[in-house]
Amino acid sequence: MAAETIGFVGTGRMGGPMAGRLMDAGYSLCIYDPHSEATKALVARGARLAKSPAEVASSADIVLCSLPTPDIVKAVALGPDGIVAGNRATVLIDLSTTGPGAAKLIAKGFEARKLTLVDAPVSGGIKGAVNGTLAVMVSCPKATYERVEPILKHFGKLFYTGDKPGTAQTAKLANNLMAAAALVITSEAVAMGVKGGVNAKVLIDIINASSGRNSASEDKFPAPCFPARSISVSPPAFPTRTCGSASMKPKPWASPWSAAQRCGRCSRSPTPNMARHPTSRRSQRCWRNGPAWKCAASFGSDRGETRLP
């Protein structure tokens, strides 16, 4: 039975279940969330409610936070009523997805107070938070990792990515990029199938029994998309076979669907050196300079997002 008090800031949809798992493990919690509804269940179980993140950081040696945006994380960590204003905490475990830039900024801001940031974004959604099956990516000094590992293991499987702030965030964003791409391309594939006369649910069942299955087709589509409601789609254009041999000629449903078009362009231009020597430095350079990398680097740039380096 754990005895120490842990601080937790942000007890909403993800933070609430994770904080609950710590209480299940026997930890005492001091919590803060600006929304009272988010704290009621934990307070009812015995958690102490603080009035600010600073108060949380004055009540525990280790504080966790699970917050929705980088700006909120930065304010909670570095603001006048933030973690840096506390007088006890020495470690902040950030479970949010903030990006490597925010993690580095917070770590730098902690230096004067001799606080250590544990960059620990999670993946697996609310279900994973409830069941303790999240993927937890962690970057921090090794000695700190050994200190916080017994806490983080209650959330799921841990992946130590190194000792530099931001590397775990980079790993999380790589995962998010693939998850977002899966959602986009699955949406386009289902829309194409429906316009071509295939029942959407049947198509998803086919995909999930075939090589096209992915996180979107298995998790995101079945529950929200098919509960007793019809699907309205715009007409797509697209590939005749697989992405690897996709013809870019417009189909009868012609309408620009960018993800599928980019996928087709990439896959029709393979890099021979990469295929023959996938681990060589030369191959890595070929991949980085090749059409597939450029496609990935430009993904989202037309939406005002930052290009990959």
Side-chain angles (χ1 to χ4, degrees):
M1 198 75 161
E4 67 178 311
T5 297
I6 300 293
F8 211 113
V9 178
T11 53
R13 298 174 68 201
M14 288 292 292
M18 287 189 280
R21 290 191 64 81
L22 293 179
M23 295 193 78
D24 292 341
Y27 289 98
S28 297
L29 292 189
C30 178
I31 64 174
Y32 172 78
D33 193 290
H35 304 288
S36 60
E37 285 296 320
T39 61
K40 282 184 178 179
L42 295 169
V43 170
R45 293 184 59 186
R48 183 165 75 84
L49 183 62
K51 296 180 180 178
S52 69
E55 185 178 338
V56 174
S58 296
S59 304
D61 295 317
I62 297 174
V63 177
L64 299 89
C65 70
S66 178
L67 300 163
T69 70
D71 286 343
I72 293 175
V73 174
K74 286 185 280 188
V76 164
L78 304 173
D81 291 319
I83 304 302
V84 291
N87 58 25
R88 179 175 167 183
T90 57
V91 173
L92 172 65
I93 303 174
D94 181 20
L95 303 162
S96 322
T97 301
T98 62
K104 292 174 184 177
L105 186 149
I106 292 168
K108 186 72 175 175
F110 277 178
E111 288 178 356
R113 277 274 285 106
K114 299 190 183 304
L115 277 159
T116 300
L117 173 69
V118 176
D119 178 20
V122 299
S123 181
I126 296 171
K127 182 179 179 181
V130 170
N131 295 333
T133 56
L134 295 169
V136 187
M137 294 140 271
V138 188
S139 57
C140 63
K142 190 65 175 179
T144 304
Y145 177 73
E146 292 172 357
R147 181 182 175 190
V148 302
E149 184 179 11
I151 297 171
L152 293 175
K153 72 179 183 181
H154 294 292
F155 304 148
K157 186 173 182 179
L158 308 188
F159 299 88
Y160 182 67
T161 63
D163 60 0
K164 295 180 180 178
T167 55
Q169 291 291 339
T170 299
K172 175 64 189 295
L173 294 183
N175 175 78
N176 280 12
L177 175 62
M178 294 186 70
L183 180 58
V184 171
I185 199 64
T186 304
S187 300
E188 294 188 8
V190 171
M192 180 185 72
V194 170
K195 290 303 291 185
V198 184
N199 176 275
K201 188 177 185 308
V202 171
L203 181 56
I204 284 294
D205 289 342
I206 292 169
I207 290 169
N208 286 336
S210 307
S211 59
R213 65 186 178 275
N214 60 70
S215 60
S217 67
E218 290 183 329
D219 300 328
K220 296 182 177 66
F221 266 73
C225 293
F226 302 138
R229 72 180 185 195
S230 60
I231 299 175
S232 175
V233 296
S234 299
F238 231 113
T240 52
R241 293 176 61 196
T242 65
C243 286
S245 58
S247 167
M248 302 307 296
K249 295 179 182 179
K251 294 290 120 185
W253 323 290
S255 152
W257 283 59
S258 61
Q261 290 173 341
R262 289 177 179 179
C263 187
R265 286 199 298 269
C266 292
S267 56
R268 286 203 320 280
S269 305
T271 304
N273 284 336
M274 191 65 183
R276 289 200 300 268
H277 309 291
T279 59
S280 70
R281 291 186 179 181
R282 181 181 178 189
S283 297
Q284 292 170 18
R285 287 196 300 271
C286 288
W287 161 247
R288 188 177 178 89
N289 295 327
W293 171 265
K294 291 175 182 177
C295 171
S298 67
F299 187 83
S301 61
D302 53 343
R303 299 169 179 80
E305 298 169 9
T306 304
R307 288 174 178 265
L308 295 172

